[in-house]
Each structure stands twice: as structure tokens, then as C-alpha cells.
Amino acid sequence: MFDYNNKELNKYPVALLRTLAKISSMSLTDTLKELEEIEASYDSLLGFRKLLEQYELSFPDLEFELYCTIKDLESLKVKVEPFTFNRFEEEGHNNIASDCRKAMENAISMLSEALENVRKGKAPFEDEEI
């Protein structure tokens, strides 16, 4: 499955799609539609997809975690604005892969904290009011 996470949906073999449909108790058409929706949403990652593509990087574990955290916040009616990387792009980097990974980890940490705040009935971020 790890190999397929790094491929576009149109590269999935039919046998895999049928297996996914069977184990999810969905029709093949519904499975394909759902995978298309996930792929479309997953690709944006609120700006991180573009950053990763710019440096030809991929961190499937972090990308999925970021995606899930964003979706969890959105399900609680919290709008998450796209990330910008102005400062990141202006800084020098000795190890761009490590720095991109750290940026994703920081974003996940910040969004996870916001998610916990909302679940506790607080504002997502300390400087906001509900």
C-alpha cells in the first residue's frame, strides 16, 4: 500500500480497486469516487502539496496526518487557511528535506492543538474568541 500512496489514482491496478471495494463493502464505482475525492483533497494540503512538489519531496505519513487533522477541524466548522511559505523560502536551507519535514510537523502540532482547544469548547487559537 505504501507504494500506491505515492502514485496517482489512475496508476492503481483494477485488482487493487476491486479489493478496496470488497473490503469496504462499497461498489467499485463508489470506491473509485471516494478515492477521487480523497486524492483531490489530499493534493492540496493547504499549500504543503505545492511546497513538497517544488522540492520533489514526499512524506506520506505526515501528509496523511496533516490531511486528517485539517479534515477534523473542518468537520468542527473551523476554517483552516492555506499555509504560506514566504519566510521559509527566504531562509537558507542546509537540508531542504529535513526543513520541509519540520515545517509539516510544526503545522500538524499547531493544528492538533487547535483541534484539542475546539474539542474543549475553547477558541482554536489562543488569540481568538469563540
Side-chain angles (χ1 to χ4, degrees):
M1 286 307 298
F2 179 79
D3 290 340
Y4 291 111
N5 281 337
N6 293 321
K7 292 182 180 181
E8 294 177 12
L9 184 56
N10 63 354
K11 303 289 184 194
Y12 284 28
V14 174
L16 175 64
L17 295 172
R18 287 185 178 141
T19 301
L20 291 172
K22 186 172 184 170
I23 64 172
S24 64
S25 301
M26 295 170 55
S27 71
L28 183 58
T29 302
D30 289 342
T31 301
L32 189 55
K33 284 180 184 176
E34 182 138 341
L35 288 170
E36 287 174 333
E37 289 174 16
I38 291 170
E39 184 178 62
S41 298
Y42 186 76
D43 282 348
S44 70
L45 295 177
L46 297 179
F48 270 97
R49 171 63 49 214
K50 183 178 177 186
L51 179 73
L52 293 172
E53 287 176 353
Q54 178 180 347
Y55 296 108
E56 299 178 354
L57 298 170
S58 180
F59 307 109
D61 57 331
L62 293 178
E63 292 169 45
F64 183 70
E65 187 176 358
L66 179 61
Y67 169 79
C68 290
T69 307
I70 291 167
K71 290 300 170 193
D72 286 346
L73 282 164
E74 289 174 348
S75 74
L76 295 171
K77 308 293 186 226
V78 176
K79 181 169 175 41
V80 182
E81 296 292 328
F83 293 93
T84 58
F85 303 97
N86 298 334
R87 192 182 93 198
F88 183 87
E89 291 172 351
E90 291 171 1
E91 295 173 341
H93 301 283
N94 292 327
N95 184 333
I96 194 69
S98 176
D99 292 348
C100 283
R101 184 173 189 84
K102 185 67 174 166
M104 287 190 81
E105 289 169 345
N106 289 341
I108 292 166
S109 177
M110 178 196 67
L111 293 175
S112 295
E113 185 176 321
L115 183 60
E116 287 305 310
N117 285 342
V118 171
R119 287 181 175 154
K120 292 177 183 176
K122 299 177 182 178
F125 303 99
E126 292 179 15
D127 59 345
E128 295 182 3
E129 294 181 17
I130 294 182

